[in-house]
Amino acid sequence: MAEASRTSEAHRDAVFARWVIFSPARSRRPTDLKSHGPANPSPGPDDGAPKPSCPFCLGRESECAPEIFRVPAPDESPSWRIRVIENLFPALRREAAPPAPEDEEPVGAGECAVRGFGFHDVVIETPHHEVRLWDLEAEGVRDVLLAYARRVQQLAEHPAVKYVQVFKNQGASAGASMAHSHSQMLGTPFVPPSVTSRLNCMKEVFERSGKCSLCAVVSKDILVSETHNFSAFVPFAASYPFEIWIVPRQHSSYFHETDQDKVLDLAGLLKSMLQKLCKQLNDSPFNYMIHSAPFGLSSSCLPYTHWFLQIVPQLSVIGGFEIGSGCHINPVFPEDAAKILREIDGSV
């Protein structure tokens, strides 16, 4: 369809049950959607020296919250490649007593309050301040993903933890308070409402069609790249311009159960997608989230639960319509975004 004839459309997805309005009139050409900040806020080669105010740098480990585990360097110099530590300013606290149903404190009609128990951890992805995740070799990205999986597995063994959200905030406007490349995870004693909504939507699709929402064949129009084990595509109802989902091609409910060979495949594809977004969007801030299944699901739920990784570039400000309605307005049709991203070099 020629760009001049494109009119607004509303798409509803089969995973989040969200409506998204695609309105090309809300912007000029899709290629004009770029971050206007500097391409690299910390330019210059990394000399290996710690930065004066960065506790995540090599040699400043004592300034951080307690370490949970580390991935050592093969040659012991530097002494580590990845560190998983407690968050110094946690949203939930591991030392709090886990809530029990009888502990719920009534606040009002349908409302309750419980103690803020949970786990809030940080994954320091590299000892070097200037190195970004996608600057690492695929094996380095794999090791970061394996560190996620190892920590998620540890948290899954805690009887009070029901869900773990793994996420990365890259850039100040995406919520990162530290420039040094890192990601986080929050283990909660409840299943977050958006997770429940996602599973309910996928259940409805499965009961109606007999198919998992994410196992369906991805249209070539929205496919960006694929490997033997994973597909990367712009979702049919992308809430954000140039949003990408990376999805296992074989049905899988839990991210942390992915075997090491497949994790290397995922790492190469994730690196490629982040490189493509960096080049197309002028190093735009972004978030990514790993959407996995809650712990302890019954076997009857597994056929329609399918984990995936969502990458969201931060290119616009959420306005009143989006906040009030829960519907997003996206100026770039998914097939247009996918075509642009396919044509950008970002080899796996």
Side-chain angles (χ1 to χ4, degrees), residues 19-21 26 318-329:
W19 283 97
V20 177
I21 298 171
R26 298 283 290 186
I318 300 300
F321 174 77
E322 287 86 351
I323 296 172
S325 67
C327 300
H328 286 248
I329 300 175

Side-chain angles (χ1 to χ4, degrees), residues 69 71-72 81-82 123 125 137-149 260 263-264 267:
F69 65 82
V71 178
R81 285 182 294 138
I82 301 165
V123 180
E125 300 158 353
E137 297 296 329
E139 290 79 6
V141 180
R142 174 203 59 193
D143 290 343
V144 171
L145 296 173
L146 288 174
Y148 295 164
Q260 290 200 22
V263 173
L264 179 59

Side-chain angles (χ1 to χ4, degrees), residues 50-77:
K51 300 304 170 185
S53 59
C54 181
F56 289 177
C57 283
L58 183 69
R60 304 190 63 180
E61 294 82 359
S62 63
E63 300 177 32
C64 293
E67 181 178 295
I68 299 168
F69 65 82
R70 66 173 58 188
V71 178
D75 57 2
E76 297 301 323
S77 179

Side-chain angles (χ1 to χ4, degrees), residues 242-269:
F242 296 98
E243 176 181 348
I244 297 173
W245 291 5
I246 300 178
V247 179
R249 297 178 65 180
Q250 293 184 330
H251 187 80
S252 177
S253 299
Y254 290 102
F255 160 75
H256 66 277
E257 295 180 349
T258 308
D259 66 53
Q260 290 200 22
D261 290 340
K262 289 183 179 179
V263 173
L264 179 59
D265 202 19
L266 171 63
L269 190 56

Side-chain angles (χ1 to χ4, degrees), residues 120-138:
H120 191 175
D121 301 330
V122 175
V123 180
I124 306 173
E125 300 158 353
T126 169
H128 304 300
H129 192 85
E130 309 291 348
V131 176
R132 302 165 302 182
L133 181 63
W134 59 97
D135 294 327
L136 299 173
E137 297 296 329

Side-chain angles (χ1 to χ4, degrees), residues 64 68 86 97 114 129 144 161 169 174 181 190 198 215 219 235 249 258 260 291 298 309 314 327 337 344:
C64 293
I68 299 168
E86 298 179 14
V114 297
H129 192 85
V144 171
V161 174
N169 302 333
S181 191
F190 53 83
R198 168 166 56 89
C215 283
S219 165
R249 297 178 65 180
T258 308
Q260 290 200 22
H291 300 286
S298 68
L309 189 152
Q314 293 297 336
C327 300
I344 296 172

